[in-house]
Amino acid sequence: MRIARHLTDGRPALAAATDDGLVNLDTEHADLPELLRAVDGDLAAVEAMATGPATPLAKAQLLSPVGRPPAILAVGLNYRAHAEEGGREPPSVPIIFNKHHNCIIGPGEAIHIPAAAPDAVDYEGELAVVIGRCARAVSAAEAPHYIAGYSIMNDVSVRDWQRASPTMMMGKSWDTHGPCGPWMVTADALDPHSCRLVTEVSGEVRQDANTDDLIFDCYTLVEHLSTAFTLDPGTIISTGTPAGVGLFFDPPRLLSAGDEVSITIEGIGTLTNPVIAEPGA
């Protein structure tokens, strides 16, 4: 099942994305965290809520499937080849940082090149985990039961701000720097550890990898994080990016206004966002 969030009659609504289009869910909840909490992660109950006529995808205005996540937890250096391209040893424990929730945008929305930091904006195509039930002290073996599904995230990064601090949050959290979508594929429909991931910038392939290169897999990440704190429904874990980021080309190939970034993950779909100068800059 694919769960999408879109504008209908000018308001956000949740829907099942089918071959015929978007079928609205019969629920009062307009965001995925609220719905997941209400059904305690019971995705069969969610599937039964899909009623009524379908809106063709071509006419739909998709939003990020999670509009206001309780947290966005991201992982650094989590692909072996990405660690190698940066001349780093693979980490022995996951490198975790936060992205501010206001960075979230949906498919088709514009990534801004900030006026205050215009010269080092980079793309990072990533598999995103969406938590479905409150998870605390969950083992890796138990973790699949706490995952609602998977989506795509572009962990847009302002490299000079990222490097200016011993923590990464200020380089990773600018408004519009967390595109997510196009929907969430439920966990029963995807093997997250065997998916091809391709990132294109203006039609040119920059990243082409497989999630089987993850150093810490999705279930291990849930175990690691939930050991310390509760993961609430709707929490996004962005699992890290493979080799091919713009920073490590020679010379670097960073984003600029007029670019378009498309990230495709096998079994999920494609997330596409244009890149523009920050409005009013």
Side-chain angles (χ1 to χ4, degrees):
M1 183 183 185
R2 298 176 297 176
I3 302 175
R5 186 167 158 268
H6 70 124
L7 281 182
T8 178
D9 297 326
R11 303 181 68 178
L14 293 170
T18 71
D19 292 340
D20 296 325
L22 298 182
V23 180
N24 280 352
L25 301 182
D26 184 14
T27 174
E28 62 183 10
H29 302 296
D31 202 354
L32 201 48
E34 302 162 357
L35 178 62
L36 292 171
R37 191 179 289 276
V39 301
D40 193 27
D42 182 359
L43 297 175
V46 174
E47 190 167 10
M49 296 176 183
T51 61
T55 299
L57 276 176
K59 296 183 178 180
Q61 184 176 343
L62 290 171
L63 305 170
S64 168
V66 185
R68 195 173 180 87
I72 307 170
L73 303 165
V75 190
L77 293 180
N78 199 28
Y79 281 77
R80 293 171 183 84
H82 179 47
E84 290 170 7
E85 74 174 347
R88 305 278 295 276
E89 289 293 324
S92 58
V93 295
I95 298 171
I96 306 296
F97 58 92
N98 290 292
K99 288 178 74 77
H100 193 276
H101 59 78
N102 282 341
C103 74
I104 288 283
I105 58 172
E109 294 186 75
I111 298 166
H112 296 171
I113 301 294
D119 300 322
V121 180
D122 208 348
Y123 54 87
E124 291 193 3
E126 306 198 2
L127 174 70
V129 175
V130 181
I131 296 296
R133 300 165 54 205
C134 285
R136 178 72 166 90
V138 170
S139 71
E142 298 170 319
H145 304 296
Y146 290 83
I147 293 173
Y150 302 92
S151 191
I152 302 170
M153 175 161 276
N154 186 351
D155 178 21
V156 180
S157 305
V158 180
R159 298 299 188 191
D160 46 358
W161 280 63
Q162 178 183 341
R163 288 177 158 179
S165 169
T167 64
M168 288 188 274
M169 184 175 178
M170 287 300 292
K172 298 281 193 171
S173 294
W174 294 67
D175 287 356
T176 76
H177 286 191
C180 186
W183 37 62
M184 183 193 77
V185 174
T186 54
D188 61 342
L190 187 76
D191 176 1
H193 303 127
S194 183
C195 300
R196 187 182 180 194
L197 185 160
V198 177
T199 302
E200 298 178 66
V201 177
S202 300
E204 178 189 25
V205 173
R206 299 282 185 88
Q207 296 179 296
D208 190 346
N210 195 290
T211 56
D212 63 8
D213 192 44
L214 282 166
I215 297 169
F216 304 102
D217 67 29
C218 299
Y219 308 150
T220 300
L221 292 171
V222 170
E223 177 181 76
H224 179 74
L225 293 164
S226 72
T227 299
F229 44 78
T230 300
L231 302 175
D232 290 317
T235 294
I236 294 173
I237 304 171
S238 200
T239 59
T241 201
V245 297
L247 179 67
F248 293 132
F249 280 87
D250 186 15
R253 306 180 71 179
L254 300 161
L255 296 178
S256 59
D259 283 333
E260 180 180 78
V261 184
S262 290
I263 303 164
T264 301
I265 296 182
E266 180 183 11
I268 299 178
T270 300
L271 171 67
T272 298
N273 298 88
V275 181
I276 67 172
E278 182 179 17

